[in-house]
Amino acid sequence: MKEGKLITLEGINGIGKTYYFNFLREALKESNIRFNAEINDDVHSGINKSIFDILLSTNSRFFDTGNPKMETLLILAKQANDEERFVLPSIREGQSIVSDRGFDTVAIVQGIMLYRKYGGDLLEHINEVYKTAIKFNMIPNKTILFTGDFDKSLQRATLRDKQEYSKEEIEILKMESEILHELSQREKDRFIVIDVDRDPIEIKSELVRVFKKILN
């Protein structure tokens, strides 16, 4: 049996990633695909609930409890639990997985949080998280990176959350955006970049074409 593929969707808060994730879930519902919601959308049951009881205890957008080492390990535990529980079994059975965020966001954001807490070299922190993540999570076959105007994304995220972003949170988002862009340039075989500053109908058509090509 031909194995399925893991496809992740990446992009900063407010870029429209979850909007297009939900579009794909409907547009590809007849395909042999399972959809894995964004990390903080799966907080209400089982082991993941126990993990998020800790991560959400301070109501931080970036799970900031003041202990980024612990936060990183907890988030990676959630990712590993998802992979063992249904990602790998589904792929082995021939189903593909589309995940709203993957280990790229985990490595980059947690690397930023470690850097902000402990200093040192930002990229070294990110690479160390990547090294750990790769031990317990498969590398996506393809990653769709949504990019666009930063200020528009921030405005959408603020309206969605009904809460202003602090100066520190905006700095984290900017760093995440820049590093995701740099990563997409280094790993062109894995990344497919989608510019969202266009007509959504055009973007949706492109996404369907991209996914048909990936899955075939």
Side-chain angles (χ1 to χ4, degrees), residues 3-180:
E3 288 194 344
K5 296 179 179 179
L6 173 61
I7 305 156
T8 55
L9 308 184
E10 296 286 5
I12 64 169
N13 295 5
I15 198 70
K17 177 175 44 57
T18 300
Y19 172 79
Y20 289 110
F21 173 88
N22 290 330
F23 160 74
L24 287 166
R25 181 157 49 186
E26 179 63 24
L28 302 175
K29 62 184 179 182
E30 302 301 325
S31 303
N32 194 22
I33 299 174
R34 294 185 69 181
F35 287 81
N36 183 25
E38 185 172 358
I39 185 168
N40 57 352
D41 290 337
D42 183 16
V43 301
H44 300 298
S45 62
I47 293 171
N48 288 349
K49 181 181 184 304
S50 298
I51 292 172
F52 278 99
D53 282 345
I54 300 171
L55 291 174
L56 295 174
S57 60
T58 61
N59 296 315
S60 166
R61 286 186 171 102
F62 297 101
F63 308 127
D64 184 7
T65 68
N67 186 349
K69 294 178 182 179
M70 177 191 71
E71 296 148 18
T72 300
L73 293 173
L74 286 172
I75 295 169
L76 290 175
K78 187 271 181 188
Q79 297 288 98
N81 181 45
D82 284 353
E83 183 155 311
E84 188 70 18
R85 185 164 51 94
F86 70 89
V87 173
L88 286 178
S90 296
I91 286 173
R92 288 166 182 156
E93 292 172 3
Q95 284 187 307
S96 290
I97 297 287
V98 176
S99 181
D100 187 351
R101 293 198 192 274
F103 74 174
D104 291 294
T105 288
V106 176
I108 291 169
V109 173
Q110 290 311 118
I112 292 170
M113 301 305 286
L114 288 162
Y115 167 74
R116 288 171 63 86
K117 175 78 173 184
Y118 303 110
D121 185 278
L122 172 60
L123 293 182
E124 283 186 11
H125 285 299
I126 292 172
N127 288 335
E128 285 303 313
V129 181
Y130 264 115
K131 289 177 184 177
T132 304
I134 289 171
K135 292 178 182 179
F136 303 103
N137 296 270
M138 68 177 289
I139 299 172
N141 298 99
K142 290 291 181 181
T143 296
I144 311 296
L145 174 61
F146 294 98
T147 65
D149 183 86
F150 180 85
D151 290 333
K152 290 180 181 178
S153 297
L154 179 61
Q155 184 179 32
R156 285 192 294 265
T158 300
L159 289 172
R160 180 196 63 197
D161 297 347
K162 299 179 181 179
Q163 182 181 357
E164 294 290 331
Y165 277 65
S166 69
K167 180 181 177 181
E168 291 76 15
E169 290 171 331
I170 293 171
E171 288 176 355
I172 292 169
L173 285 179
K174 285 183 176 178
M175 293 170 75
E176 178 189 359
S177 178
E178 292 170 1
I179 295 167
L180 278 169

